[in-house]
Amino acid sequence: TCLVYGNTTSVSDAKGNGGGIVLAMNVPTVTIRNTTVTGNTSTGKAGGISFDTYNASRLKLVNSIVSGNSAGESANVYGTSNSGWTGNVIDGDPKFADAAANDYRIASNSPAKGAGTAYSGIGKDLAGVDFANPPSLGCYEFVGSTPPPEEPPEEPVEDGKDGAALYID
């Protein structure tokens, strides 16, 4: 359950790159669940998620939103397979509460509301709300209304500044 937003990369290489999430050669199977990837930018292959053809069957995307990213080739996802992908909003409008204000909870008219698949250990969303059964897609469960967020998400990290990265070897 993650929110990946506001990242930018200008690196371009033959393997592809992404502003949000990149899977490179020889990664183990990676499962991304109830995650929102939006507002990321790349001058390369994908603004949202990029994975090379070698890893096509190693990415499992479940109950996630990958939308509103921009890139040189494919705005949201670059890769060749969606094997193992269950109940996601890819490329479509997830109808966020207020993306311009970095509020990525889903609105009452969102196609992501209650559209997910329950799984063992689903837990809570980023706001500490239990996911329903069936759960909503993305990192926030729909709670019946969309009040102002209690705490805004952290601001994106500027290029060259301290940030977070996940490296799996």
Side-chain angles (χ1 to χ4, degrees):
T1 306
C2 297
L3 172 60
V4 180
Y5 84 104
N7 298 290
T8 302
T9 182
S10 58
V11 177
S12 183
D13 60 38
K15 293 180 183 174
N17 56 72
I21 297 173
V22 178
L23 298 177
M25 286 293 278
N26 300 318
V27 299
T29 298
V30 174
T31 301
I32 299 172
R33 295 182 179 133
N34 285 96
T35 293
T36 301
V37 181
T38 189
N40 301 291
T41 304
S42 173
T43 57
K45 302 207 176 191
I49 299 175
S50 178
F51 56 97
D52 57 45
T53 56
Y54 183 80
N55 290 311
S57 64
R58 294 182 179 181
L59 173 62
K60 308 297 182 198
L61 195 64
V62 179
N63 297 350
S64 295
I65 297 171
V66 185
S67 181
N69 301 287
S70 61
E73 288 189 36
S74 177
N76 294 305
V77 177
Y78 176 84
T80 60
S81 172
N82 64 359
S83 172
W85 293 17
T86 306
N88 302 286
V89 172
I90 307 293
D91 296 325
D93 182 0
K95 301 196 183 322
F96 292 125
D98 189 357
N102 296 330
D103 183 354
Y104 298 110
R105 291 169 302 136
I106 56 175
S108 61
N109 62 343
S110 173
K113 181 174 79 173
T117 302
Y119 55 87
S120 176
I122 191 169
K124 298 180 182 294
D125 74 358
L126 287 184
V129 174
D130 288 323
F131 277 102
N133 188 4
S136 293
L137 306 181
C139 60
Y140 292 108
E141 178 59 53
F142 179 75
V143 293
S145 64
T146 312
E150 292 178 19
E151 196 172 301
E154 291 182 25
E155 289 298 315
V157 177
E158 291 180 36
D159 231 7
K161 305 290 182 185
D162 291 335
L166 173 64
Y167 174 76
I168 300 172
D169 187 12

